[in-house]
Amino acid sequence: MSNDSSSRIVADLRDWIAAAPPGARLPSTRALVERYSAGPVTVQKALRTLTAQGLIESRPGVGTFVRTVPTARSADYGWQTAALGSPRGHGSRLFSALRTIPNDRIALHSGYPDRELLPERLVRAAFTRAGRGDAAVNRPPSAGQPDLQAWFAAELAAVAPAAVLPPAPSDVVVFPGSQSGLNSTFQSLVGPGRPLLVESPTYWGAILAAARAGVRVVPVPGDSRGPRIEDLIRAFRQTGARAFYAQPHFANPTGVQWAPERAAEVLEVVRDNGAFLVEDDWAHDFGIDSVPIPLAARDDAGHVVYLRSLTKSVSPAVRIAAVVARGPARERIVADAQAESMYVSGLLQTVALDIVTHPGWRTHLRSLAQRLATRRDLLVGALREHVPDARLEVVPRGGLHLWVRLPDRTDLARLVRDCEDEGVFVAPGDEWFPAEPTGEYLRINFSGPNPGAFPEGARIIGAALARQLHG
Amino acid sequence: MSNDSSSRIVADLRDWIAAAPPGARLPSTRALVERYSAGPVTVQKALRTLTAQGLIESRPGVGTFVRTVPTARSADYGWQTAALGSPRGHGSRLFSALRTIPNDRIALHSGYPDRELLPERLVRAAFTRAGRGDAAVNRPPSAGQPDLQAWFAAELAAVAPAAVLPPAPSDVVVFPGSQSGLNSTFQSLVGPGRPLLVESPTYWGAILAAARAGVRVVPVPGDSRGPRIEDLIRAFRQTGARAFYAQPHFANPTGVQWAPERAAEVLEVVRDNGAFLVEDDWAHDFGIDSVPIPLAARDDAGHVVYLRSLTKSVSPAVRIAAVVARGPARERIVADAQAESMYVSGLLQTVALDIVTHPGWRTHLRSLAQRLATRRDLLVGALREHVPDARLEVVPRGGLHLWVRLPDRTDLARLVRDCEDEGVFVAPGDEWFPAEPTGEYLRINFSGPNPGAFPEGARIIGAALARQLHG
């Protein structure tokens, strides 16, 4: 029997146990076999799982019973308040992009592509292969598996101009996801109390990582062609910052792709200030009308520190990202990565490399670009038709989201709540602002489940907004 | 053909490419098929891998060539020195326990058990099963997969006295390895500039994590029964610390298991000081003559924060650990975990749960205890015979290592180097001291490869030491 069938029985029996009194007797294995139309092996597996979870206990020759636990009482953890002191910046908060919601709702809030956009067949085959190989039991070096490091380096080398010395495999540091990469990069290059320039708005995960590292973020405004150069120059001068975090390609949330001249100007400003550009190429695999060429490919003086993740495009199960950095910066980042996570599962690294070097990966990316184009255009059309009060400043040439400007008098929190009440989930734009929001925005994901519901979702958003604005 | 056979060809051709001039032509596929006695599919796969790594390029109809790369030149990253400032404590250092060495040496230095001590069959089967299930494409909650959280909670509940309210599944936070768990725990419970009491000597990874979190470590000495209570009381009083990090069971490196009365006294001191005990139960699965009962099972007032890892006992590929904490401390740790790593691969969580709930896991642990006993006794005997100048203060009742005291006049660095020259790798004890070492020690691993070589390894250590001490 398949694993999943036993999981189903476990899930169902957990509900039964939750409702039963402690000491209640479970139906016999034979009765369960009948109830679930499953084999006895599958039922036994489910019972073992529940036993291991401490929910049931079996008394041989008597039967299986719901486990007796001490009665819950209200514990007093008040003493911890004194021991912990006041929190340092980032509290426990559930960001919209991470929320999981029931299947029957219209999910436009997520930061992740839907399962149907993942290379599922490649992922499964890669796990099966890797489970047979040495990666299932070996420990890789702290900086990463050499063959995967080489792949990340080669990806940049392939687009580097002839005059630029491409990064070496040893310039690559592998992380268990891009969030860990951001953390180590900010810790290593900036450090507590020092300033970090960021685009505004920008990725909430980066704002969170900066807060964790005790780094002081300094917002730099931009327009539809990239960061405003005068503001960038002024921010470097006024703060003495030595690093600028940015997403030059299909930025999350704005969708902006830096114009080539603007990118060149930013690089020049960064060099003039003896600073780092932390280039977060989060949507490298999500180009639609445009293939992003990393700025890192144009720099061999160690100014660009490049962050590349595979998690979103390959699978959430393959938590693999890389930071490419040169010189002393690379040494700092490796040391920090080792102190933070020691090393990354070699099996996940093997799986990641297997997938991205498989011929099916290129085919997948081509089909993905087409499907993202269809979804984007469908959602753009639906918003234009049903939410006439909203404005799209940029139709993104890649990425997963639209960034929708609402009239200034919009009550954003109420709008998000009203939509949710009618089954449509959207993310309020203020989560992406490192300081006060400069306007009312929604971030709407066009890569979520069920694009057929986009028009209906847009209609509900439009109606809720119209009720606010026009009574 | 198997994956590994193509890896072998890749490895071999990489050597060939390294020695070949840029632009050199590779042998034809047919020639390679013959040379490696492999199928054409396997050879093609190897060539695709090398192409993806940027090492070769194929010109259709012409052949495959070593890729031309710009000539390496010495880059000047001097500007980074000003941007980075001086490092904050932990530099880039390769700790002995992480070193990988050639197979023909005698490896007594490692912090990890040898592959033959891992439940390899269970690991492979679990990856194969998980690759077929939903975990291959789904994203779990930040705090962990509920079924795995429940397992960790149930493990503690199973040994909790009847009067103690066991932890709930929601008290468990899953991490991508125990190093990340230590980082989040120290960040959350202590924070930059504040004091953390630690045993001395203690695990170097904890010293490293504390340095990364900017935490000030305060060493507390111990004896063969646990931390010295007067010193612990004095350290709390003098520093105002609110947390004590310790390994009560088979401590790394000393092998000490706290005596029950001592453990009770420590808990009392911790409670009196309104403080946390961070209990790192790193060797929970490595009991030999004794099954460790976590102190966390005796506390329901939120004083003990419990760290439990599966990486060492299950497989280095299954980077899964848990922190069990209650009350506001748990909230802080979840928030920090989210800021640090967002979420942990659900596939690794599924694999971990599959293995530890499999009936084969208990069987494996029983056989593991026997094999560790044999190895420990063999190494203890060999050291007593061949290194008469060394002293074993404790014969550990579990864990993976011996902690060997050497005469005070030993030149430790020279001894380690001399042994290495003769093919025996040992770890110098000073890496485990948070401050100056209080004596000359070696940490010697009895769970490494090839226990048959233990007597020979001991003989070489003994001879090198004798040369120093007796001329």
Side-chain angles (χ1 to χ4, degrees), chain A residues 73 79-80 85 88 124 131-133 136 179-180 183 187 212 300-301 315 317 319 329 332 336 339-341 345, chain B residues 73 79-80 85 88 124 131-133 136 179-180 183 187 212 300-301 315 317 319 329 332 336 339-341 345:
Chain A
R73 50 187 153 87
W79 68 268
Q80 289 190 356
R88 294 184 307 116
R124 293 187 189 287
R132 286 193 223 116
Q179 190 67 15
S180 301
N183 268 280
Q187 280 258 10
R212 182 177 193 257
D300 56 8
S315 162
R319 291 291 281 146
R332 290 269 173 106
D336 194 82
E340 162 51 41
S341 62
S345 164
Chain B
R73 50 189 154 87
W79 68 269
Q80 289 188 356
R88 295 184 308 117
R124 294 188 187 285
R132 287 193 221 115
Q179 190 66 15
S180 301
N183 268 281
Q187 280 258 9
R212 182 178 193 258
D300 57 7
S315 161
R319 290 290 281 145
R332 290 268 174 107
D336 194 81
E340 162 50 40
S341 63
S345 165

Side-chain angles (χ1 to χ4, degrees), chain A residues 3-4 14 48-49 52-54 67 70-73 75-77 79-80 82-88 90-95 97-100 110 112 115 118 120 123-124 127-139 142 147 150-151 154 157-158 162-166 176 179-180 183-184 187-189 191-192 194 203-205 208-209 212 242 274-276 300-303 311 315-319 326-329 331-332 334-336 338-348 350 353 357 359, chain B residues 3-4 14 48-49 52-54 67 70-73 75-77 79-80 82-88 90-95 97-100 110 112 115 118 120 123-124 127-139 142 147 150-151 154 157-158 162-166 176 179-180 183-184 187-189 191-192 194 203-205 208-209 212 242 274-276 300-303 311 315-319 326-329 331-332 334-336 338-348 350 353-354 357 359:
Chain A
N3 196 32
D4 291 323
R14 284 176 71 109
R48 275 200 309 273
T49 303
Q53 293 177 356
R67 197 160 175 267
T71 314
R73 50 187 153 87
D76 180 10
Y77 304 123
W79 68 268
Q80 289 190 356
L84 290 171
S86 52
R88 294 184 307 116
H90 62 285
S92 181
R93 181 175 167 193
L94 183 55
F95 290 88
L98 283 180
R99 288 179 69 185
T100 48
S110 170
Y112 293 83
R115 175 169 170 171
L118 300 178
E120 186 165 332
V123 171
R124 293 187 189 287
F127 273 116
T128 303
R129 272 193 290 274
R132 286 193 223 116
D134 281 352
V137 285
N138 280 0
R139 181 170 52 83
S142 286
D147 49 2
W151 181 83
V164 173
L165 181 68
Q179 190 67 15
S180 301
N183 268 280
S184 278
Q187 280 258 10
S188 308
L189 305 190
R194 294 178 64 193
Y203 173 46
W204 61 267
L208 192 61
R212 182 177 193 257
R242 292 301 190 108
F276 295 100
D300 56 8
H303 284 283
T311 306
S315 162
V318 186
R319 291 291 281 146
R326 313 201 196 186
E331 301 308 310
R332 290 269 173 106
V334 170
D336 194 82
Q338 182 175 318
E340 162 51 41
S341 62
M342 213 71 98
Y343 62 92
V344 179
S345 164
L347 187 126
L348 291 189
T350 298
L353 183 66
T357 56
Chain B
N3 199 30
D4 290 323
R14 283 175 72 109
R48 276 201 308 275
T49 303
Q53 294 178 356
R67 196 160 174 266
T71 313
R73 50 189 154 87
D76 180 11
Y77 304 124
W79 68 269
Q80 289 188 356
L84 291 170
S86 51
R88 295 184 308 117
H90 61 286
S92 181
R93 183 176 167 193
L94 184 54
F95 290 89
L98 283 181
R99 286 178 70 184
T100 49
S110 170
Y112 293 83
R115 175 169 169 171
L118 302 177
E120 187 166 332
V123 171
R124 294 188 187 285
F127 273 116
T128 303
R129 271 193 291 274
R132 287 193 221 115
D134 281 352
V137 286
N138 280 0
R139 182 170 51 83
S142 287
D147 49 2
W151 182 82
V164 172
L165 180 68
Q179 190 66 15
S180 301
N183 268 281
S184 278
Q187 280 258 9
S188 307
L189 304 189
R194 294 178 65 191
Y203 173 46
W204 61 266
L208 191 62
R212 182 178 193 258
R242 292 302 191 106
F276 295 100
D300 57 7
H303 284 283
T311 306
S315 161
V318 186
R319 290 290 281 145
R326 313 200 197 188
E331 301 307 310
R332 290 268 174 107
V334 171
D336 194 81
Q338 183 175 317
E340 162 50 40
S341 63
M342 213 70 99
Y343 61 92
V344 179
S345 165
L347 188 127
L348 292 189
T350 298
L353 183 66
D354 184 338
T357 56

